[in-house]
PDB file of all heavy atoms in Angstrom:
ATOM      1  N   ALA A 227      -8.220 -32.085   1.513  1.00 98.00           N
ATOM      2  CA  ALA A 227      -7.401 -31.631   2.620  1.00 98.00           C
ATOM      3  C   ALA A 227      -7.770 -32.358   3.912  1.00 98.00           C
ATOM      4  O   ALA A 227      -8.926 -32.432   4.272  1.00 98.00           O
ATOM      5  CB  ALA A 227      -7.540 -30.120   2.798  1.00 98.00           C
ATOM      6  N   LYS A 228      -6.735 -32.849   4.588  1.00 98.00           N
ATOM      7  CA  LYS A 228      -6.978 -33.481   5.882  1.00 98.00           C
ATOM      8  C   LYS A 228      -6.638 -32.484   7.010  1.00 98.00           C
ATOM      9  O   LYS A 228      -7.112 -32.610   8.125  1.00 98.00           O
ATOM     10  CB  LYS A 228      -6.119 -34.705   6.002  1.00 98.00           C
ATOM     11  CG  LYS A 228      -6.474 -35.809   4.986  1.00 98.00           C
ATOM     12  CD  LYS A 228      -6.034 -37.162   5.476  1.00 98.00           C
ATOM     13  CE  LYS A 228      -6.663 -38.276   4.671  1.00 98.00           C
ATOM     14  NZ  LYS A 228      -6.129 -38.289   3.251  1.00 98.00           N
ATOM     15  N   GLN A 229      -5.774 -31.526   6.667  1.00 98.00           N
ATOM     16  CA  GLN A 229      -5.359 -30.567   7.715  1.00 98.00           C
ATOM     17  C   GLN A 229      -5.389 -29.150   7.102  1.00 98.00           C
ATOM     18  O   GLN A 229      -4.351 -28.522   6.985  1.00 98.00           O
ATOM     19  CB  GLN A 229      -3.988 -30.921   8.234  1.00 98.00           C
ATOM     20  CG  GLN A 229      -3.936 -32.350   8.692  1.00 98.00           C
ATOM     21  CD  GLN A 229      -2.685 -32.690   9.505  1.00 98.00           C
ATOM     22  OE1 GLN A 229      -2.750 -33.601  10.297  1.00 98.00           O
ATOM     23  NE2 GLN A 229      -1.600 -31.995   9.325  1.00 98.00           N
ATOM     24  N   PRO A 230      -6.547 -28.689   6.725  1.00 98.00           N
ATOM     25  CA  PRO A 230      -6.646 -27.393   6.035  1.00 98.00           C
ATOM     26  C   PRO A 230      -6.604 -26.242   7.046  1.00 98.00           C
ATOM     27  O   PRO A 230      -6.978 -26.407   8.217  1.00 98.00           O
ATOM     28  CB  PRO A 230      -8.001 -27.445   5.359  1.00 98.00           C
ATOM     29  CG  PRO A 230      -8.830 -28.307   6.272  1.00 98.00           C
ATOM     30  CD  PRO A 230      -7.903 -29.300   6.902  1.00 98.00           C
ATOM     31  N   VAL A 231      -6.205 -25.090   6.558  1.00 98.00           N
ATOM     32  CA  VAL A 231      -6.343 -23.879   7.359  1.00 98.00           C
ATOM     33  C   VAL A 231      -6.615 -22.738   6.410  1.00 98.00           C
ATOM     34  O   VAL A 231      -6.081 -22.674   5.314  1.00 98.00           O
ATOM     35  CB  VAL A 231      -5.131 -23.613   8.275  1.00 98.00           C
ATOM     36  CG1 VAL A 231      -3.878 -23.280   7.502  1.00 98.00           C
ATOM     37  CG2 VAL A 231      -5.439 -22.511   9.292  1.00 98.00           C
ATOM     38  N   VAL A 232      -7.443 -21.791   6.861  1.00 99.00           N
ATOM     39  CA  VAL A 232      -7.790 -20.617   6.051  1.00 99.00           C
ATOM     40  C   VAL A 232      -7.111 -19.401   6.709  1.00 99.00           C
ATOM     41  O   VAL A 232      -7.339 -19.098   7.864  1.00 99.00           O
ATOM     42  CB  VAL A 232      -9.309 -20.402   6.001  1.00 99.00           C
ATOM     43  CG1 VAL A 232      -9.634 -19.234   5.048  1.00 99.00           C
ATOM     44  CG2 VAL A 232     -10.031 -21.650   5.517  1.00 99.00           C
ATOM     45  N   LEU A 233      -6.237 -18.799   5.931  1.00 98.00           N
ATOM     46  CA  LEU A 233      -5.546 -17.584   6.391  1.00 98.00           C
ATOM     47  C   LEU A 233      -6.273 -16.386   5.826  1.00 98.00           C
ATOM     48  O   LEU A 233      -6.375 -16.272   4.586  1.00 98.00           O
ATOM     49  CB  LEU A 233      -4.090 -17.629   5.896  1.00 98.00           C
ATOM     50  CG  LEU A 233      -3.305 -16.309   6.003  1.00 98.00           C
ATOM     51  CD1 LEU A 233      -3.100 -15.904   7.445  1.00 98.00           C
ATOM     52  CD2 LEU A 233      -1.947 -16.456   5.309  1.00 98.00           C
ATOM     53  N   VAL A 234      -6.737 -15.522   6.699  1.00 98.00           N
ATOM     54  CA  VAL A 234      -7.569 -14.406   6.218  1.00 98.00           C
ATOM     55  C   VAL A 234      -6.907 -13.075   6.513  1.00 98.00           C
ATOM     56  O   VAL A 234      -6.577 -12.759   7.683  1.00 98.00           O
ATOM     57  CB  VAL A 234      -8.952 -14.461   6.878  1.00 98.00           C
ATOM     58  CG1 VAL A 234      -9.791 -13.253   6.433  1.00 98.00           C
ATOM     59  CG2 VAL A 234      -9.665 -15.741   6.499  1.00 98.00           C
ATOM     60  N   GLY A 235      -6.740 -12.273   5.449  1.00 98.00           N
ATOM     61  CA  GLY A 235      -6.151 -10.948   5.605  1.00 98.00           C
ATOM     62  C   GLY A 235      -7.130  -9.857   5.376  1.00 98.00           C
ATOM     63  O   GLY A 235      -8.367 -10.124   5.232  1.00 98.00           O
ATOM     64  N   ALA A 236      -6.657  -8.653   5.268  1.00 98.00           N
ATOM     65  CA  ALA A 236      -7.534  -7.491   5.166  1.00 98.00           C
ATOM     66  C   ALA A 236      -8.316  -7.442   3.842  1.00 98.00           C
ATOM     67  O   ALA A 236      -9.293  -6.716   3.735  1.00 98.00           O
ATOM     68  CB  ALA A 236      -6.729  -6.180   5.321  1.00 98.00           C
ATOM     69  N   GLY A 237      -7.900  -8.278   2.880  1.00 98.00           N
ATOM     70  CA  GLY A 237      -8.625  -8.345   1.628  1.00 98.00           C
ATOM     71  C   GLY A 237     -10.068  -8.691   1.816  1.00 98.00           C
ATOM     72  O   GLY A 237     -10.983  -8.232   1.127  1.00 98.00           O
ATOM     73  N   VAL A 238     -10.329  -9.559   2.834  1.00 98.00           N
ATOM     74  CA  VAL A 238     -11.717  -9.959   3.103  1.00 98.00           C
ATOM     75  C   VAL A 238     -12.499  -8.758   3.654  1.00 98.00           C
ATOM     76  O   VAL A 238     -13.675  -8.581   3.343  1.00 98.00           O
ATOM     77  CB  VAL A 238     -11.731 -11.160   4.063  1.00 98.00           C
ATOM     78  CG1 VAL A 238     -13.133 -11.389   4.656  1.00 98.00           C
ATOM     79  CG2 VAL A 238     -11.259 -12.417   3.347  1.00 98.00           C
ATOM     80  N   LEU A 239     -11.835  -7.967   4.465  1.00 98.00           N
ATOM     81  CA  LEU A 239     -12.522  -6.777   5.028  1.00 98.00           C
ATOM     82  C   LEU A 239     -12.747  -5.740   3.896  1.00 98.00           C
ATOM     83  O   LEU A 239     -13.806  -5.126   3.829  1.00 98.00           O
ATOM     84  CB  LEU A 239     -11.695  -6.169   6.131  1.00 98.00           C
ATOM     85  CG  LEU A 239     -11.544  -7.097   7.346  1.00 98.00           C
ATOM     86  CD1 LEU A 239     -10.479  -6.567   8.315  1.00 98.00           C
ATOM     87  CD2 LEU A 239     -12.866  -7.234   8.098  1.00 98.00           C
ATOM     88  N   ALA A 240     -11.733  -5.574   3.068  1.00 98.00           N
ATOM     89  CA  ALA A 240     -11.874  -4.576   1.991  1.00 98.00           C
ATOM     90  C   ALA A 240     -13.017  -4.966   1.048  1.00 98.00           C
ATOM     91  O   ALA A 240     -13.704  -4.093   0.506  1.00 98.00           O
ATOM     92  CB  ALA A 240     -10.578  -4.476   1.195  1.00 98.00           C
ATOM     93  N   ALA A 241     -13.244  -6.278   0.901  1.00 98.00           N
ATOM     94  CA  ALA A 241     -14.316  -6.736   0.003  1.00 98.00           C
ATOM     95  C   ALA A 241     -15.619  -6.875   0.775  1.00 98.00           C
ATOM     96  O   ALA A 241     -16.650  -7.258   0.188  1.00 98.00           O
ATOM     97  CB  ALA A 241     -13.938  -8.093  -0.601  1.00 98.00           C
ATOM     98  N   ASP A 242     -15.591  -6.581   2.063  1.00 98.00           N
ATOM     99  CA  ASP A 242     -16.784  -6.646   2.911  1.00 98.00           C
ATOM    100  C   ASP A 242     -17.375  -8.072   2.849  1.00 98.00           C
ATOM    101  O   ASP A 242     -18.569  -8.241   2.636  1.00 98.00           O
ATOM    102  CB  ASP A 242     -17.825  -5.618   2.424  1.00 98.00           C
ATOM    103  CG  ASP A 242     -18.827  -5.291   3.511  1.00 98.00           C
ATOM    104  OD1 ASP A 242     -18.530  -5.608   4.701  1.00 98.00           O
ATOM    105  OD2 ASP A 242     -19.887  -4.744   3.206  1.00 98.00           O
ATOM    106  N   ALA A 243     -16.505  -9.053   3.050  1.00 98.00           N
ATOM    107  CA  ALA A 243     -16.916 -10.423   2.825  1.00 98.00           C
ATOM    108  C   ALA A 243     -16.906 -11.298   4.100  1.00 98.00           C
ATOM    109  O   ALA A 243     -16.794 -12.516   4.031  1.00 98.00           O
ATOM    110  CB  ALA A 243     -16.005 -11.067   1.768  1.00 98.00           C
ATOM    111  N   SER A 244     -17.016 -10.667   5.257  1.00 98.00           N
ATOM    112  CA  SER A 244     -16.992 -11.415   6.537  1.00 98.00           C
ATOM    113  C   SER A 244     -18.128 -12.451   6.592  1.00 98.00           C
ATOM    114  O   SER A 244     -17.899 -13.565   7.070  1.00 98.00           O
ATOM    115  CB  SER A 244     -17.135 -10.488   7.709  1.00 98.00           C
ATOM    116  OG  SER A 244     -16.029  -9.657   7.773  1.00 98.00           O
ATOM    117  N   LYS A 245     -19.265 -12.052   6.132  1.00 98.00           N
ATOM    118  CA  LYS A 245     -20.407 -12.928   6.168  1.00 98.00           C
ATOM    119  C   LYS A 245     -20.138 -14.208   5.328  1.00 98.00           C
ATOM    120  O   LYS A 245     -20.319 -15.322   5.784  1.00 98.00           O
ATOM    121  CB  LYS A 245     -21.632 -12.211   5.609  1.00 98.00           C
ATOM    122  CG  LYS A 245     -22.949 -12.661   6.213  1.00 98.00           C
ATOM    123  CD  LYS A 245     -24.097 -11.787   5.685  1.00 98.00           C
ATOM    124  CE  LYS A 245     -24.953 -12.569   4.722  1.00 98.00           C
ATOM    125  NZ  LYS A 245     -24.828 -12.430   3.350  1.00 98.00           N
ATOM    126  N   GLU A 246     -19.671 -13.993   4.119  1.00 98.00           N
ATOM    127  CA  GLU A 246     -19.377 -15.124   3.225  1.00 98.00           C
ATOM    128  C   GLU A 246     -18.262 -15.983   3.797  1.00 98.00           C
ATOM    129  O   GLU A 246     -18.332 -17.208   3.711  1.00 98.00           O
ATOM    130  CB  GLU A 246     -18.973 -14.604   1.832  1.00 98.00           C
ATOM    131  CG  GLU A 246     -20.100 -13.996   0.995  1.00 98.00           C
ATOM    132  CD  GLU A 246     -20.468 -12.571   1.421  1.00 98.00           C
ATOM    133  OE1 GLU A 246     -19.817 -12.011   2.318  1.00 98.00           O
ATOM    134  OE2 GLU A 246     -21.410 -12.018   0.814  1.00 98.00           O
ATOM    135  N   LEU A 247     -17.271 -15.332   4.391  1.00 98.00           N
ATOM    136  CA  LEU A 247     -16.188 -16.102   4.984  1.00 98.00           C
ATOM    137  C   LEU A 247     -16.692 -17.027   6.076  1.00 98.00           C
ATOM    138  O   LEU A 247     -16.388 -18.207   6.135  1.00 98.00           O
ATOM    139  CB  LEU A 247     -15.115 -15.139   5.557  1.00 98.00           C
ATOM    140  CG  LEU A 247     -14.055 -15.859   6.398  1.00 98.00           C
ATOM    141  CD1 LEU A 247     -13.094 -16.605   5.520  1.00 98.00           C
ATOM    142  CD2 LEU A 247     -13.328 -14.879   7.322  1.00 98.00           C
ATOM    143  N   THR A 248     -17.504 -16.422   6.967  1.00 98.00           N
ATOM    144  CA  THR A 248     -18.007 -17.200   8.117  1.00 98.00           C
ATOM    145  C   THR A 248     -18.858 -18.354   7.613  1.00 98.00           C
ATOM    146  O   THR A 248     -18.747 -19.470   8.108  1.00 98.00           O
ATOM    147  CB  THR A 248     -18.811 -16.244   9.061  1.00 98.00           C
ATOM    148  OG1 THR A 248     -17.962 -15.143   9.363  1.00 98.00           O
ATOM    149  CG2 THR A 248     -19.167 -16.960  10.331  1.00 98.00           C
ATOM    150  N   GLU A 249     -19.696 -18.067   6.654  1.00 98.00           N
ATOM    151  CA  GLU A 249     -20.554 -19.121   6.104  1.00 98.00           C
ATOM    152  C   GLU A 249     -19.710 -20.272   5.526  1.00 98.00           C
ATOM    153  O   GLU A 249     -19.941 -21.454   5.764  1.00 98.00           O
ATOM    154  CB  GLU A 249     -21.452 -18.542   5.046  1.00 98.00           C
ATOM    155  CG  GLU A 249     -22.518 -19.509   4.533  1.00 98.00           C
ATOM    156  CD  GLU A 249     -23.356 -18.900   3.387  1.00 98.00           C
ATOM    157  OE1 GLU A 249     -23.415 -17.664   3.277  1.00 98.00           O
ATOM    158  OE2 GLU A 249     -23.877 -19.676   2.603  1.00 98.00           O
ATOM    159  N   PHE A 250     -18.675 -19.877   4.781  1.00 98.00           N
ATOM    160  CA  PHE A 250     -17.836 -20.870   4.124  1.00 98.00           C
ATOM    161  C   PHE A 250     -17.100 -21.748   5.145  1.00 98.00           C
ATOM    162  O   PHE A 250     -17.138 -22.972   5.067  1.00 98.00           O
ATOM    163  CB  PHE A 250     -16.831 -20.142   3.233  1.00 98.00           C
ATOM    164  CG  PHE A 250     -15.823 -21.058   2.564  1.00 98.00           C
ATOM    165  CD1 PHE A 250     -16.201 -21.900   1.526  1.00 98.00           C
ATOM    166  CD2 PHE A 250     -14.515 -21.095   2.988  1.00 98.00           C
ATOM    167  CE1 PHE A 250     -15.266 -22.762   0.930  1.00 98.00           C
ATOM    168  CE2 PHE A 250     -13.579 -21.928   2.394  1.00 98.00           C
ATOM    169  CZ  PHE A 250     -13.963 -22.776   1.377  1.00 98.00           C
TER     170      PHE A 250
END
Side-chain angles (χ1 to χ4, degrees):
Chain A
K228 296 203 167 68
Q229 308 193 153
V231 67
V232 185
L233 166 65
V234 177
V238 166
L239 296 167
D242 201 18
S244 293
K245 209 175 109 261
E246 288 79 2
L247 170 75
T248 308
E249 188 184 336
F250 176 73

